[in-house]
Amino acid sequence: MLHFLASWEVFFQTVLVNALLAFSVQIALRAGVFSLAGVGCWAIGAYTLSILNLRGVNTLVAIVAAVAIACVVSYLLSLVLVRLRGLYLGMATVAFNQMVGVAIINGGELTGGEMGLYGVNAPVTTLQLVIVVGVVCLMLWAMERGVLGRAYNIVRDDESLAESLAIDTGSLRRFAFVLSGAIGALGGALNAMLLGIASPTDADFPVIVIALTMVIVGGFHSWRGALIGAALILWLPIGIQSFGIRGMHEWWSVVYGALILGIAVYFPKGLLGGLQKLRSLVDRRAVREATP
Amino acid sequence: MLAEQLLVNAAVLGAVLTLFALGLSLTWGALDVLNLAHGAIFVASAWVATRLANSVEVPFVALLVAGMAAGALLAVVAELIAFRPIRRLISNKRQAELSMVAATVGFGFVIDNLVGRATSHQVFSFPIGAFEFRQYDLGVFKAFNIEIIIFATAIIGALLLNYWIMRTRQGMAIRAIAFSPRIAPLLGVKVDNMAALTMAVSGALAGLSGSLMVVWTSGMDISTGHSLLLRAFAIVVLGGVGSVKGCVLAAFLLAAVETGIVAAGYGSMRDAAAFSLIILVLLFRPQGLFGTGRAMRA
Amino acid sequence: MTTATAQRPSAPEQAAAAAAPLLVLRDVVVAYGAVLGVDHVSLAVGRGQLCGLIGPNGSGKSSLLAAVSRVGKLSGGSLEFDGQDYSAWSAHRVARLGFARSFQTVRLQEDLTVLENVMVGADKTRLSGATVATWLSSLASRGDEAKSRAAALEALDQVGLADMRDRFPTTLSYGTQRRVEIARCLASKPRLLLLDEPTAGMSSAETDEIAALLMRLRAEGLTQILVAHDLSMIHSVTDHVFALNFGKLVAQGRSTDVANDPVVRAAYIGVVETVEEDSDG
């Protein structure tokens, strides 16, 4: 039993940390801001923490620094990219992520170049991770309710309508952008603490793909979707392998890609959205049966 | 390296990028579709050409045709399983964009992994001896026959594509769809068929550029596709979505800049050229050099 | 300017202020490249007036409305609300002045209930600039949420849809959805209501109800601008009508006068009957 828990603990920790990555993308998408810059900030967070830790800086201070730097960078980036929307914004943030990667590789001694940084010694317990992620979830939950929740809903779907309803869309979008960077950096920092390393692949294309996938599969309208998506995507390779169908585990990547494709097309709001659709279908059925 | 040879390198790189980026620009301009699997299709087509060359003795042209066919096929599959259903099912533009990105990423991931499995995740290259390299001395510089072929193919390809779009009925239909996807059907344009055709041409372009590139370089793998995709995006954004001449110009410009950076000894920063270009263009001239100004839809 | 005690405006000054128009447009231009969607339009809307804005398709009505609410662009001219020039203001700032508008197409949030949709209108009185401040204050004051809710329910009552409050917009008829939109406008307690074809797609019974609602609002002193194609509704409801054609203001006045204006009738090709005045005025 303890052995079972022990092996699942690593998985659990991974899910928690990656949930933050998913949150960083989700919170931007939820505001209608197609930004994947959270991934670049994940790398910034990982490296800031690692660099500071290797120089003996207190862990908490290092985490705060990582988040703070990401906030500043995100804010500046949001100003630079203010007029962009949709795909263009998305690709610009991908370009930003790649540039972070290039900066890391060319950072010489400071960033360890292609090799990255090793020997980060800042252990973190599962409980601490649960608390951190819990607090972030709480914050996101609060942002999905009441005035702000409704406002973000409209900013996401219909900007000019939002403006006509006295909603400062620019301010809300910037806020989402910066928060996305902050959460991404937090995740990256915790990840570096968990693994003990920071690597240039932290800003790579696959990370971007994974982050996007988690949010698409789970559903980007709510933090719950991102959490579900993170858990599911991380579990999938294990799940497929454990099913043990002959040769099946070799094809997990194909299943993975097909899953993303299928959900993106047929469940655009993710699994969570699928549940909501069900709920409104029930509502409609009830109405139809109620009206004569 | 001599400056003249650098010029040749840049010209050939630019040619490959031109063909590849034209494919991306075509679907983006005509169908509002950003096919992020375009790079994977490129690599897969190159692999098909390589396999064919390894198996049978066929004229070089046949290999190119095979590559184009493979590319076209994969692109049409993407149309059928991703873009068409998205057109039908998702009306919200933002939502559609997001789904399209995710779907093509997924599709590309599948293709990448299939190719990876087939190549044991190793770099694959064109079999030695399958192509007879010959170098010509053109006075100012020396060029290999393959380099001349690639350059000529790109120029001819661009001209043909431009002619097709501008002067044929099909091209007109495609432009109608690009202008207004909702009105076009009312004018008798069969959107689904045109979409499939456009994707096929786009895929063929990816296949062509892939097949040519795999001969020219010492080998490629999946990451080649990713790298090319981002550069193609930079090119299309710089040139202006849907503009053939913009694409051509931007492709050669980027090739020149990249070649210069590598020659100056900053090889590890090569990719930064594309990324910087993307951000700069989107900031200062989002419609690109020759774009129609549909850059930002708020 | 006196710095000591603020002087109460005298009675004549107050009367003059009350008589001053609420909305003044001077030489407003909206250009789309070389084409002028709105071509140097100047007009004034008096307080408490219910004005109609008519014109054939493409005459610039929606462009004008968009420019006035600053949601659309303004290429030239000036806009003044209650004496305040707001030509350079952003749309959300203008909305806070007391503008509420509906659009030609229904724009409701599918994943919010009717009540929540209308609450967004009421929310507008609480959202301030900085997001963080808003967020913290919304966490702190539970009472505000109740106030929004109450204002929303009141607005739904006004349009007669209080019993639909927990339904989702996609389950409602088009006409009902439009009424929800109007409720959303009303929930913000606006000073100027801009309605773009509010009764399009409604049954005649619903149209009459809306017309009655607009009259009630006018009686309560709300200033309104109504864009509509339904000339009989315009005739029965409005005090003053502005007619546009090709972006220019071609006629204004009482609805019957405008409808009978030869320039206006030429613009609306096919209007055959003369609109008669009701015998009871």
Side-chain angles (χ1 to χ4, degrees), chain B residues 159-179:
Chain B
L159 288 170
L160 281 176
L161 188 70
N162 197 47
Y163 180 82
W164 183 59
I165 298 271
M166 291 295 169
R167 301 283 171 87
T168 64
R169 279 196 70 115
Q170 289 166 338
M172 204 153 49
I174 290 172
R175 278 184 293 139
I177 298 174
F179 186 75

Side-chain angles (χ1 to χ4, degrees), chain C residues 4-268:
Chain C
T5 45
Q7 301 196 315
R8 276 209 75 191
S10 65
E13 280 175 353
Q14 281 190 45
L22 187 63
L23 180 70
V24 180
L25 273 59
R26 290 193 183 87
D27 248 8
V28 167
V29 175
V30 176
Y32 301 107
V35 177
L36 294 181
V38 175
D39 192 349
H40 298 91
V41 169
S42 299
L43 55 87
V45 174
R47 280 158 214 276
Q49 266 194 332
L50 211 179
C51 299
L53 185 58
I54 64 172
N57 279 327
S59 54
K61 308 192 294 292
S62 290
S63 299
L64 185 62
L65 224 55
V68 165
S69 59
R70 297 297 292 115
V71 171
K73 63 171 173 174
L74 181 70
S75 312
S78 77
L79 304 164
E80 202 182 279
F81 183 76
D82 206 5
Q84 166 79 54
D85 185 323
Y86 68 91
S87 323
W89 289 26
S90 60
H92 64 265
R93 209 174 149 207
V94 167
R96 216 165 288 136
L97 271 178
F99 282 48
R101 69 166 291 196
S102 74
F103 298 82
Q104 265 183 316
T105 53
V106 167
R107 287 158 87 161
L108 292 174
Q109 284 299 103
E110 287 184 1
D111 49 349
L112 295 178
T113 62
V114 163
L115 180 63
E116 287 168 334
N117 266 289
V118 177
M119 276 172 82
V120 178
D123 285 341
K124 116 177 182 182
T125 56
R126 294 161 50 199
L127 270 179
S128 66
T131 298
V132 183
T134 302
W135 179 35
L136 291 173
S137 76
S138 82
L139 289 178
S141 49
R142 314 285 298 284
D144 273 358
E145 182 81 352
K147 266 189 235 155
S148 260
R149 212 182 138 85
L153 284 169
E154 195 188 312
L156 279 172
D157 257 332
Q158 277 181 301
V159 299
L161 290 177
D163 50 344
M164 300 283 196
R165 62 175 173 268
D166 292 321
R167 299 270 294 278
F168 285 93
T170 46
T171 65
L172 303 173
S173 73
Y174 187 71
T176 311
Q177 288 181 28
R178 285 199 154 277
R179 282 155 73 192
V180 173
E181 269 200 317
I182 295 175
R184 182 172 62 191
C185 289
L186 297 177
S188 62
K189 308 267 196 287
R191 297 174 59 195
L192 175 63
L193 188 60
L194 303 163
L195 297 171
D196 200 342
E197 315 247 10
T199 57
M202 284 189 188
S203 65
S204 56
E206 284 174 315
T207 306
D208 289 340
E209 277 187 47
I210 295 299
L213 169 64
L214 297 185
M215 304 272 273
R216 278 202 304 277
L217 292 170
R218 174 158 139 269
E220 290 169 14
L222 181 61
T223 313
Q224 301 166 72
I225 300 179
L226 176 69
V227 172
H229 270 306
D230 184 350
L231 290 181
S232 62
M233 182 191 176
I234 293 270
H235 167 63
S236 65
V237 152
T238 58
D239 306 316
H240 195 88
V241 171
F242 302 101
L244 292 184
N245 194 22
F246 291 118
K248 290 191 171 58
L249 183 65
V250 296
Q252 60 171 300
R254 277 177 34 226
S255 60
T256 44
D257 298 337
V258 171
N260 289 328
D261 185 312
V263 178
V264 174
R265 292 180 62 190
Y268 277 103

Side-chain angles (χ1 to χ4, degrees), chain B residues 26-238:
Chain B
L26 180 63
T27 55
W28 192 353
L31 305 173
D32 246 348
V33 142
L34 184 61
N35 185 6
L36 294 178
H38 200 57
I41 294 176
F42 170 92
V43 176
S45 311
W47 177 81
V48 165
T50 315
R51 279 286 280 172
L52 194 61
N54 265 320
S55 326
V56 284
E57 280 256 353
V58 279
F60 184 60
V61 177
L63 294 172
L64 292 183
V65 170
M68 287 170 74
L73 187 66
L74 287 171
V76 170
V77 168
E79 155 70 11
L80 293 174
I81 64 175
F83 303 123
R84 187 168 297 185
I86 289 178
R87 268 205 306 279
R88 296 239 200 293
L89 299 172
I90 303 175
S91 47
N92 181 306
K93 203 155 202 191
R94 286 263 176 90
Q95 189 79 72
E97 273 181 350
L98 189 61
S99 291
M100 182 171 65
V101 167
T104 52
V105 162
F107 186 57
F109 194 77
V110 172
I111 297 178
D112 272 347
N113 275 281
L114 288 175
V115 171
R117 284 173 50 80
T119 61
S120 309
H121 296 279
Q122 303 288 332
V123 168
F124 64 90
S125 53
F126 207 67
I128 302 173
F131 186 83
E132 244 185 79
F133 290 95
R134 247 174 291 174
Q135 193 169 32
Y136 298 100
D137 192 334
L138 299 171
V140 188
F141 50 78
K142 295 197 182 70
F144 279 95
N145 51 352
I146 185 65
E147 293 174 334
I148 297 174
I149 291 174
I150 293 177
F151 188 79
T153 308
I155 301 296
I156 295 172
L159 288 170
L160 281 176
L161 188 70
N162 197 47
Y163 180 82
W164 183 59
I165 298 271
M166 291 295 169
R167 301 283 171 87
T168 64
R169 279 196 70 115
Q170 289 166 338
M172 204 153 49
I174 290 172
R175 278 184 293 139
I177 298 174
F179 186 75
S180 175
R182 285 180 310 171
I183 307 286
L186 298 176
L187 298 171
V189 174
K190 293 195 171 53
V191 178
D192 279 348
N193 291 353
M194 283 297 125
L197 181 62
T198 310
M199 288 303 295
V201 172
S202 158
L205 284 166
L208 182 59
S209 58
S211 312
L212 287 171
M213 184 168 194
V214 78
V215 178
W216 181 53
T217 60
S218 50
M220 67 163 71
D221 69 352
I222 300 166
S223 64
T224 318
H226 297 157
S227 162
L228 240 74
L229 192 59
L230 212 55
R231 286 138 95 187
F233 186 84
I235 290 169
V236 175
V237 163
L238 174 60

Side-chain angles (χ1 to χ4, degrees), chain A residues 101-145:
Chain A
V102 168
I104 287 172
I105 290 179
N106 288 289
E109 285 284 326
L110 187 67
T111 61
E114 297 254 3
M115 303 286 286
L117 295 173
Y118 289 80
V120 175
N121 185 19
V124 58
T125 67
T126 308
L127 183 63
Q128 287 169 330
L129 285 176
V130 169
I131 292 174
V132 170
V133 175
V135 167
V136 172
C137 285
L138 203 65
M139 185 172 66
L140 294 180
W141 172 81
M143 283 181 69
E144 285 178 17
R145 307 182 65 241

